[in-house]
């Protein structure tokens, strides 16, 4: 399967311009599934919850309709991060969109730092979606720090984890190698680049978007700075083989009866 990443610096608050840039980028090389950054339509650093509410959209809504139209025109699928308004609730969400519209919605479970001031934590369990004959899992950025997120998706048969991100800490790209390896799942992290200076804060984003196969091998990585489209061929059948030696299976050897759930 050909996986495309579009690493860019979304312009804060400029939803239409960001969608235009996404449209232009996806008109280049062909991919079966594109992964875009977290909050790709709005930018990241909301001043407060009221500003977030003004920029957030329902799902489905205008941005998901625009992305579905792009999927129809390009014969592809897209996973994109966006700010979702659902009644009074605001979610940092990832949508999985195909030519017919929204296929899957994930609301970020582990909110990072100031996100806690603007968003509600996602209330739903991690789940997987059909992607041709494979299964797709969704997680967002800081979810990388919680191995339970990727493991929950792997235990439901995820072959690929699409991972929109706005990373500011330097650890994730290396840590995701372990997420891929311990679960035997391909992982596509699409990070953003650039900086945002808003609400008395400044954040720089770390780029280095990457695609890992189910053995944790890096099949392609974008630079730390600068806009980049990266399209790589990933063998998702590899995710179906969980053996690590003749006698060991990543998921089958687990001993959940001996693990402490923390509850
Ligand atoms: C993050 O979760 N955006 C760091």
């Amino acid at each position: 399967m050909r996986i495309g990443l579009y690493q860019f610096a979304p312009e804060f608050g400029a939803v239409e311009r960001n969608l235009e840039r996404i449209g232009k980028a996806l008109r280049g090389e062909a991919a079966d599934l594109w992964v875009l950054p977290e909050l790709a339509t709005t930018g990241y650093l909301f001043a407060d919850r009221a500003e977030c509410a003004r920029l957030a959209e329902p799902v489905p809504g205008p941005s998901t309709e625009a992305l579905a139209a792009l999927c129809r025109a390009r014969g592809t699928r897209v996973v994109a991060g966006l700010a979702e308004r659902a009644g009074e609730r605001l979610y940092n969400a990832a949508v999985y969109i195909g030519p017919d519209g929204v296929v899957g919605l994930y609301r970020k479970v582990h909110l990072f730092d100031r996100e806690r001031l603007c968003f509600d934590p996602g209330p739903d369990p991690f789940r997987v979606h059909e992607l041709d004959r494979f299964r797709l899992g969704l997680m967002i950025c800081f979810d990388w720090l919680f191995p339970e997120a990727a493991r929950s998706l792997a235990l439901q048969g995820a072959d690929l984890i699409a991972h929109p991100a706005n990373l500011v800490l330097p650890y994730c790209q290396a840590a995701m190698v372990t997420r891929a390896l311990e679960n035997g799942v391909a992982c596509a992290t699409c990070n953003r680049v650039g900086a945002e200076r808003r609400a008395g804060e400044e954040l720089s984003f770390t780029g280095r978007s990457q695609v890992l196969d189910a053995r944790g091998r890096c099949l392609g990585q974008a630079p730390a700075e600068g806009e980049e489209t990266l399209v790589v061929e990933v063998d998702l059948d590899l995710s179906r083989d969980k053996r690590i030696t003749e006698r060991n299976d990543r998921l089958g050897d687990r001993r959940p009866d001996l693990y402490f759930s923390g509850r």
Side-chain angles (χ1 to χ4, degrees):
M1 180 166 294
R2 285 170 70 79
I3 308 296
L5 307 182
Y6 175 40
Q7 167 177 298
F8 73 115
E11 182 183 341
F12 187 87
V15 174
E16 280 189 19
R17 275 201 293 279
N18 291 326
L19 284 167
E20 269 168 36
R21 287 173 69 191
I22 292 166
K24 214 165 143 194
L26 270 56
R27 277 195 287 278
E29 240 180 307
D32 301 301
L33 178 76
W34 283 93
V35 185
L36 306 175
E38 177 183 11
L39 297 168
T41 55
T42 56
Y44 183 74
L45 208 41
F46 298 99
D48 52 28
R49 191 174 163 97
E51 184 177 62
C52 184
R54 274 198 301 282
L55 286 165
E57 293 184 31
V59 173
S63 287
T64 64
E65 295 301 328
L67 291 168
L70 189 59
C71 290
R72 281 193 291 280
R74 297 293 292 140
T76 189
R77 279 72 54 101
V78 170
V79 171
L82 51 72
E84 183 205 3
R85 183 163 21 82
E88 293 296 303
R89 303 266 170 203
L90 298 172
Y91 297 110
N92 182 342
V95 283
Y96 166 35
I97 297 173
D100 296 328
V102 177
V103 181
L105 170 66
Y106 165 66
R107 293 161 167 165
K108 189 175 184 179
V109 166
H110 303 103
L111 296 176
F112 180 71
D113 202 6
R114 283 181 58 93
E115 291 170 30
R116 289 167 168 267
L117 307 179
C118 301
F119 293 107
D120 298 290
D124 306 315
F126 290 89
R127 51 185 292 260
V128 294
H129 308 278
E130 299 305 315
L131 175 64
D132 301 337
R133 62 188 178 86
F134 298 105
R135 288 194 181 155
L136 174 71
L138 305 175
M139 55 185 233
I140 301 177
C141 205
F142 191 48
D143 287 329
W144 71 266
L145 191 75
F146 304 86
E148 295 87 349
R151 178 53 54 90
S152 298
L153 295 169
L155 288 172
Q156 294 175 77
D159 299 299
L160 170 70
I161 294 175
H163 180 212
N166 277 188
L167 293 160
V168 294
L169 301 176
Y171 316 114
C172 171
Q173 290 88 342
M176 286 305 289
V177 174
T178 304
R179 296 291 95 80
L181 190 61
E182 69 197 359
N183 292 299
V185 172
C187 296
T189 298
C190 187
N191 193 16
R192 63 161 288 176
V193 285
E196 283 188 5
R197 287 167 208 85
R198 308 194 73 256
E201 291 230 13
E202 174 165 355
L203 288 178
S204 293
F205 302 94
T206 61
R208 295 192 291 125
S209 298
Q210 65 186 16
V211 180
L212 306 172
D213 76 3
R215 300 292 173 266
R217 293 175 294 220
C218 186
L219 305 178
Q221 190 176 58
E225 289 172 18
E227 177 171 322
E228 181 91 4
T229 54
L230 182 70
V231 177
V232 294
E233 180 80 37
V234 188
D235 175 9
L236 291 185
D237 284 312
L238 208 55
S239 305
R240 298 281 164 104
D241 179 3
K242 300 299 185 193
R243 283 174 304 173
I244 191 148
T245 73
E246 281 293 302
R247 298 178 186 81
N248 293 105
D249 179 284
R250 288 166 172 79
L251 298 185
D253 286 4
R254 294 172 63 251
R255 302 284 307 275
D257 47 327
L258 302 182
Y259 302 152
F260 181 58
S261 78
R263 287 189 205 286

